[in-house]
């Protein structure tokens, strides 16, 4: 599938704000564009066999060690790897470190 991460945010009511901030820090080459949804965003590439390169959305925990079942969290799925994915991940992690509320990344 790809690289999968979760972000636990406290209080969980701040999740939409955190997603907005994450979307604002990603720097994209011209071949990519961002599509926003009510539950998050995706970075996509036109004319590609697999157009979605990153998916960030609000999900509910099921069977996760880090969260109680039903708790909301931010799900981040990177369909690509390499330097670009590493850069985007660092940009997003740096932004969550700037947020006053508690944000904790975990890997699947």
């Amino acid at each position: 599938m790809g690289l999968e991460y979760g972000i636990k945010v406290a209080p969980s009511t701040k999740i939409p704000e955190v997603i907005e901030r994450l979307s604002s820090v990603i720097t994209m080459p011209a071949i990519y564009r961002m599509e926003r949804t009510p539950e998050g965003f995706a970075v996509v590439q036109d004319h590609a066999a697999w157009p979605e390169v990153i998916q960030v959305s609000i999900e509910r925990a099921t069977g996760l060690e880090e969260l109680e079942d039903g708790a909301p969290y931010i799900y981040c799925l990177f369909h690509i790897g390499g330097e670009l994915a590493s850069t985007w991940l660092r940009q997003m992690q740096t932004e969550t470190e700037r947020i006053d509320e508690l944000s904790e990344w975990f890997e699947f």
Side-chain angles (χ1 to χ4, degrees):
M1 253 187 122
L3 303 172
E4 294 178 283
Y5 298 93
I7 307 170
K8 181 169 80 172
V9 178
S12 62
T13 56
K14 297 286 188 179
I15 289 176
E17 177 186 329
V18 173
I19 288 177
E20 181 60 34
R21 290 180 67 166
L22 294 176
S23 71
S24 71
V25 299
I26 293 176
T27 56
M28 292 179 289
I31 63 168
Y32 299 105
R33 63 184 165 78
M34 187 171 293
E35 291 182 351
R36 297 181 188 272
T37 68
E39 296 295 311
F41 66 90
V43 175
V44 297
Q45 176 179 327
D46 292 329
H47 310 295
W50 190 270
E52 199 170 82
V53 292
I54 296 179
Q55 168 196 349
V56 177
S57 58
I58 300 171
E59 301 291 333
R60 297 259 174 208
T62 303
L64 296 177
E65 188 175 300
E66 295 82 3
L67 296 164
E68 291 182 28
D69 282 354
Y73 70 99
I74 300 172
Y75 175 69
C76 304
L77 174 59
F78 290 76
H79 294 283
I80 63 168
E83 186 59 34
L84 187 56
S86 294
T87 298
W88 288 339
L89 179 60
R90 275 193 309 274
Q91 289 171 339
M92 293 168 59
Q93 288 174 327
T94 299
E95 186 61 23
T96 58
E97 290 170 3
R98 292 182 182 140
I99 298 171
D100 291 336
E101 282 71 42
L102 175 66
S103 296
E104 181 181 327
W105 285 74
F106 56 93
E107 207 170 332
F108 288 87

